[in-house]
C-alpha cells in the first residue's frame, strides 16, 4: 500500500489551514492520516527508504507545530520526538524548523531555558528556514529575555 495522492492532498490542505491559523481544522486532517504516515517505512514507493523517513519527519514536524499552536503541548512534544527519530534515522541535517517547533512548545509553557536550547539547535547550521529567520530570532530573543 502506498500513500495516495489523496493523502498527500490532505496533508497539503492541513498545512494550508495551519498557515491561515485554522488550527482545529488542520488538526482534524492531520489526525485523519496520522496512522498511514507513521507506517510509511513499510511502503517502498519512493526512491529510497531515506525518502520515506524524510516525509515522515516533515509530517510529524508539521503536526507538532499545529498541536503546539492549539496548546496540546504533551502531544506536540510526542510528535516532535517522533519527527526527531526519523531525522536521526535518515541522518538529515535539514528540517531545522522541527527544532524550532519544539522550542515553541517549551517557550509557550514558559520553560525558557529548554526553549533556548531548541532554538539554538534550530539556528545551528541552518541554511533554509521554513518560516522567516526573523521569526526564529524573535522567538529565541523572547526566550532569552525571560530566561
Amino acid at each position: 500500500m502506498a500513500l495516495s495522492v489523496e493523502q498527500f492532498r490532505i496533508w497539503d490542505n492541513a498545512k494550508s489551514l495551519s498557515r491561515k491559523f485554522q488550527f482545529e481544522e488542520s488538526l482534524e486532517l492531520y489526525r485523519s492520516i496520522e496512522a498511514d504516515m507513521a507506517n510509511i517505512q513499510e511502503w517502498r514507493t519512493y526512491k529510497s527508504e531515506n525518502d520515506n523517513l524524510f516525509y515522515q519527519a516533515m509530517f510529524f514536524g508539521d503536526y507538532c507545530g499545529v498541536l503546539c499552536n492549539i496548546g496540546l503541548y504533551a502531544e506536540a512534544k510526542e510528535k516532535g520526538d517522533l519527527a526527531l527519530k526519523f531525522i536521526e534515522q535518515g541522518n538529515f541535517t535539514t528540517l531545522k524548523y522541527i527544532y524550532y517547533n519544539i522550542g515553541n512548545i517549551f517557550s509557550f509553557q514558559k520553560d525558557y531555558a529548554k526553549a533556548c536550547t531548541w532554538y539554538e539547535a534550530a539556528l545551528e547550521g541552518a541554511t533554509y528556514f521554513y518560516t522567516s529567520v526573523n521569526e526564529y530570532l524573535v522567538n529565541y530573543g523572547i526566550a532569552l529575555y525571560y530566561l
Side-chain angles (χ1 to χ4, degrees):
M1 178 179 162
L3 256 187
S4 69
V5 171
E6 178 65 12
Q7 288 163 314
F8 273 109
R9 188 189 62 72
I10 291 169
W11 180 14
D12 191 52
N13 286 342
K15 290 189 291 186
S16 293
L17 288 167
S18 177
R19 284 190 287 271
K20 295 175 186 173
F21 304 100
Q22 296 174 320
F23 301 120
E24 296 289 342
E25 296 89 343
S26 176
L27 180 59
E28 283 183 42
L29 295 178
Y30 277 106
R31 290 197 193 285
S32 75
I33 60 171
E34 176 181 4
D36 293 334
M37 291 304 290
N39 295 312
I40 196 173
Q41 73 269 15
E42 296 174 7
W43 306 333
R44 300 292 180 231
T45 60
Y46 302 107
K47 294 176 188 170
S48 71
E49 183 174 348
N50 246 21
D51 290 345
N52 297 339
L53 294 171
F54 193 80
Y55 280 116
Q56 286 174 299
M58 282 189 351
F59 176 83
F60 285 102
D62 295 347
Y63 195 179
C64 165
V66 169
L67 289 162
C68 179
N69 284 318
I70 291 174
L72 299 173
Y73 303 122
E75 191 176 355
K77 182 66 169 69
E78 179 184 304
K79 303 309 178 202
D81 287 344
L82 189 54
L84 293 174
K85 180 187 98 171
F86 295 127
I87 287 172
E88 184 178 306
Q89 286 177 342
N91 198 29
F92 304 123
T93 57
T94 58
L95 302 176
K96 295 291 189 166
Y97 76 93
I98 295 168
Y99 298 84
Y100 169 78
N101 285 349
I102 295 172
N104 285 342
I105 294 168
F106 290 109
S107 184
F108 294 168
Q109 296 180 91
K110 300 185 183 342
D111 188 342
Y112 298 112
K114 284 184 182 175
C116 285
T117 299
W118 286 100
Y119 290 143
E120 288 165 4
L123 290 164
E124 184 180 323
T127 56
Y128 171 78
F129 294 92
Y130 181 71
T131 58
S132 163
V133 69
N134 292 336
E135 189 175 328
Y136 281 55
L137 293 172
V138 165
N139 285 12
Y140 180 44
I142 290 169
L144 284 172
Y145 176 81
Y146 286 110
L147 189 56

